[in-house]
Amino acid sequence: QVQLAESGGGSVQAGGSLRLSCAASGYTSSSRCMAWFRQAPGKEREGVATINSSLMTSYVDSVKGRFTISKDNAKNTLYLQMNSLRPEDTAMYYCAAARYYCTVIPRAPDQFFAYWGQGTQVTVSS
C-alpha cells in the first residue's frame, strides 16, 4: 500500500507560481510511475505530468514550458513546480502512483494508477 498526501495549493494571481508537493508513504519503492492530475468543476479529469523511475517526464501540451514535475526519492516526495499560472489552471490537483512503468500520460488513469491522494486546490485569478 502507498499513501499519498498533497500540499502546497492556494490562490494566486495570473502569472504567479506555486509548488505542489505529494508526500508518499508505505511501499513507495513499488511506484515506477508517479503523476499529477487535475480536475476543474464541470470538466473531466486531465493528466498534467508524469515521471517514471528513470526520471523520464511527460506533460500535457497546455503546461509544457510552464510546469515541471520532479521527485526526491530520499524524501519520498513528488513535486509540481507551476510557473506563469493562468486562470485556466484553476482546479483540484491530485497526485497518483502506479506500479507500472510510464513514458506518456496514461489514457486510462483509473486502470493504471492504484494510488491517489485527496487533492489540493489551486485557484488562479485574472
Side-chain angles (χ1 to χ4, degrees):
Q1 287 286 341
V2 176
Q3 294 79 41
L4 303 173
E6 303 95 336
S7 62
S11 297
V12 296
Q13 291 190 331
S17 298
L18 283 173
R19 188 177 80 156
L20 305 184
S21 299
C22 173
S25 60
Y27 191 39
T28 58
S29 61
S30 66
S31 299
R32 293 185 175 88
C33 177
M34 298 194 74
W36 287 99
F37 286 80
R38 65 186 179 185
Q39 188 166 20
K43 294 188 177 181
E44 292 187 355
R45 183 178 52 194
E46 176 184 46
V48 176
T50 63
I51 185 167
N52 63 27
S53 52
S54 299
L55 302 183
M56 182 184 300
T57 59
S58 64
Y59 298 90
V60 67
D61 285 346
S62 61
V63 307
K64 286 180 179 178
R66 300 189 299 122
F67 291 10
T68 302
I69 188 172
S70 63
K71 62 178 182 174
D72 185 331
N73 289 331
K75 296 182 178 179
N76 287 331
T77 302
L78 177 73
Y79 301 101
L80 185 68
Q81 177 67 44
M82 304 186 295
N83 299 328
S84 302
L85 282 162
R86 304 167 180 169
E88 53 264 38
D89 295 318
T90 295
M92 185 72 78
Y93 283 71
Y94 301 90
C95 65
R99 293 191 179 95
Y100 308 109
Y101 196 76
C102 61
T103 55
V104 296
I105 298 175
R107 293 185 178 182
D110 286 331
Q111 298 174 16
F112 190 89
F113 293 97
Y115 308 106
W116 295 84
Q118 295 298 309
T120 186
Q121 178 67 38
V122 171
T123 302
V124 185
S125 58
S126 58

